[in-house]
Amino acid sequence: MIPSYLQDLFQKQSYNPDNFFLIAGPCVVESEELLEEVASTVSRICARLEIPYVFKASYRKANRTSASSFTGIGDDNALQLLNQIGKKYHLPTTSDVHAHDETAPAAEHIDILQIPAFLCRQTDLLVAAAETGKIVNVKKGQFLSGPSMQFAVDKLKKAGNDKIILTERGTTFGYQDLVVDYRNIPWMQEHGVPVVMDCTHSLQQPNQTSGVTGGNPQLIGTIAKAAIAAGVDGLFIETHPNPAVAKSDGANMLRLDLLEPLLEQLVKLRKAVI
């Protein structure tokens, strides 16, 4: 069941309330042209399949392996583009925030503040995000269990905000790999909040000696199908028309033209398991 605070965001969309919701878009704001292509394509697909849709792109990438990696086109420019895309396509939008003083400026332009997994224990960041009154999506740290995310939920609620999403994105498995423990989906749902499966970052191969994170995008469908079967509320999928030339996380993004057939399969699976 999609909670009322998410239903309010989807009020301009026609969707099946029994469907999972989708958070999707490119990893980072690279250009206006990229945002237009992805938003127009994915919103069309989701409208046809009656999937409630949140557009995602990071206005700045702070968590990069190498100091030479692309971080963004400038905060103000990127946030304004996200705002513009949301209004044009009647889509709620989301992006990462990395520090407490970023939350208020970001909240002026986006609908959901996303807390990166590495920062899910940062109390000042969680409190500042909660105080904006926006929905806060906290990614489970790669070093944490689902039950331990209760403490992140408690921090947000004590700051006066119960509009919360939790996202599973894999658990550290050695130095350069992740593994998904699907028990975390029902465990985090026990905290009384919707749970999302991040189908792309959970396939990362971080900390490569090349300074560029690797990935296994050919397994995105496997991760997504298993999450639907486990009863997840939403899916997070980063997608790009040409991941090979993407400026961030190209190694684990889904090629845009592969998204529609995957979502068709997932909608059928959802109908079979609810």
Side-chain angles (χ1 to χ4, degrees):
M1 179 67 180
I2 299 174
S4 59
Y5 51 86
L6 282 175
Q7 292 178 29
D8 290 344
L9 290 186
F10 299 135
Q11 60 182 324
K12 293 185 179 180
Q13 300 181 35
S14 176
Y15 65 91
N16 181 350
D18 291 328
N19 257 336
F20 56 89
F21 63 92
L22 178 68
I23 302 173
C27 180
V28 65
V29 177
E30 298 178 19
S31 67
E32 181 176 358
E33 293 73 21
L34 173 64
L35 299 193
E36 284 281 349
E37 181 175 1
V38 175
S40 61
T41 300
V42 182
S43 60
R44 174 188 57 78
I45 295 168
C46 288
R48 182 177 72 81
L49 296 175
E50 298 184 306
I51 300 170
Y53 173 41
V54 178
F55 181 79
K56 183 269 169 186
S58 296
Y59 69 88
R60 173 158 40 99
K61 294 300 293 183
N63 300 331
R64 305 308 310 275
T65 302
S66 170
S68 62
S69 296
F70 177 81
T71 58
I73 61 172
D75 292 0
D76 291 342
N77 191 15
L79 283 167
Q80 288 172 11
L81 286 176
L82 285 170
N83 189 311
Q84 175 181 309
I85 287 292
K87 290 179 178 177
K88 180 174 180 178
Y89 293 97
H90 306 295
L91 299 173
T93 56
T94 186
S95 183
D96 312 81
V97 288
H98 308 91
H100 69 277
D101 56 356
E102 293 180 24
T103 58
E108 294 179 8
H109 297 279
I110 59 177
D111 301 288
I112 302 174
L113 301 180
Q114 179 176 289
I115 308 298
F118 286 124
L119 302 176
C120 68
R121 287 167 51 93
Q122 296 298 106
T123 300
D124 59 345
L125 174 57
L126 291 171
V127 170
E131 289 177 344
T132 66
K134 296 286 186 173
I135 298 171
V136 182
N137 177 19
V138 187
K139 288 195 168 184
K140 181 186 73 64
Q142 301 92 322
F143 43 86
L144 292 176
S145 69
S148 66
M149 288 299 289
Q150 179 66 55
F151 298 106
V153 172
D154 289 345
K155 289 176 183 178
L156 294 168
K157 289 185 175 180
K158 287 179 180 178
N161 191 332
D162 59 1
K163 296 182 289 186
I164 303 165
I165 301 170
L166 293 179
T167 294
E168 165 63 27
R169 52 96 74 232
T171 301
T172 299
F173 187 69
Y175 288 110
Q176 295 170 325
D177 207 356
L178 297 167
V179 65
V180 176
D181 181 351
Y182 287 92
R183 296 176 299 175
N184 283 321
I185 292 174
W187 278 341
M188 291 197 291
Q189 287 171 331
E190 290 177 1
H191 303 323
V193 300
V195 173
V196 170
M197 180 72 232
D198 184 336
C199 303
T200 43
H201 291 98
S202 59
L203 291 166
Q204 281 184 329
Q205 294 176 315
N207 307 316
Q208 300 294 313
T209 55
S210 65
V212 179
T213 296
N216 288 292
Q218 71 276 11
L219 295 175
I220 290 171
T222 301
I223 296 291
K225 291 170 188 175
I228 292 294
V232 81
D233 301 290
L235 297 175
F236 178 110
I237 300 176
E238 287 191 338
T239 183
H240 192 286
N242 186 1
V245 300
K247 296 182 182 295
S248 176
D249 279 0
N252 55 270
M253 277 196 281
L254 183 69
R255 205 173 71 222
L256 184 58
D257 65 336
L258 299 177
L259 181 63
E260 188 164 14
L262 174 58
L263 290 176
E264 289 174 345
Q265 293 177 9
L266 296 173
V267 167
K268 292 177 182 178
L269 180 59
R270 175 75 168 196
K271 290 179 181 177
V273 299
I274 59 172

